[in-house]
Amino acid sequence: MSYLVYVAVFGTIAVFYLWLRDVRIFRRTGLAGYRRASYQGVIWGAAALFGLAVAMYTTLEILGLGIILGALYLQGRIEREKIWNGEGTLERVLGSARPR
């Protein structure tokens, strides 16, 4: 197993972290952009898992990393509303949005 597999695992964890943060923000605020991001996060999480499987079980580790990078890129392109006004880094990382 190459070190690229560890990078693939970290990328997959990042995709799922961002998805779960979007779900938490949607549950607290009910905003449409975060609803769409949380629904599409399921698709990008599945794509990241597929990329991880390609990286782990084949010799095409770079292809698996490309799939994971594509999932991260497409997950970040979803249009979301601005919800933070002066909060700190920890609140943003944890997705602590004020209920609306």
Side-chain angles (χ1 to χ4, degrees), residues 22-54:
D22 286 341
V23 169
R24 180 169 189 224
I25 293 171
F26 167 63
R27 295 285 303 192
R28 290 186 59 91
T29 63
L31 296 172
Y34 283 95
R35 182 185 66 224
R36 187 172 58 246
S38 63
Y39 289 160
Q40 288 184 7
V42 175
I43 297 168
W44 307 134
L49 281 178
F50 176 71
L52 180 63
V54 168

Side-chain angles (χ1 to χ4, degrees), residues 83-92 96-98:
I83 59 169
W84 288 298
N85 297 321
E87 282 85 353
T89 304
L90 186 61
E91 287 87 8
R92 290 179 182 221
S96 300
R98 291 190 197 114

Side-chain angles (χ1 to χ4, degrees), residues 7-100:
V7 174
V9 168
F10 182 74
T12 304
I13 290 170
V15 169
F16 278 98
Y17 162 73
L18 292 172
W19 169 52
L20 291 174
R21 189 186 71 161
D22 286 341
V23 169
R24 180 169 189 224
I25 293 171
F26 167 63
R27 295 285 303 192
R28 290 186 59 91
T29 63
L31 296 172
Y34 283 95
R35 182 185 66 224
R36 187 172 58 246
S38 63
Y39 289 160
Q40 288 184 7
V42 175
I43 297 168
W44 307 134
L49 281 178
F50 176 71
L52 180 63
V54 168
M56 287 182 73
Y57 299 118
T58 67
T59 58
L60 303 171
E61 294 162 343
I62 299 295
L63 177 64
L65 285 173
I67 294 169
I68 294 168
L69 182 63
L72 275 169
Y73 174 74
L74 291 171
Q75 188 175 24
R77 289 201 41 147
I78 301 169
E79 194 69 32
R80 296 172 183 88
E81 294 86 358
K82 304 282 187 217
I83 59 169
W84 288 298
N85 297 321
E87 282 85 353
T89 304
L90 186 61
E91 287 87 8
R92 290 179 182 221
V93 167
L94 297 176
S96 300
R98 291 190 197 114
R100 293 185 184 211

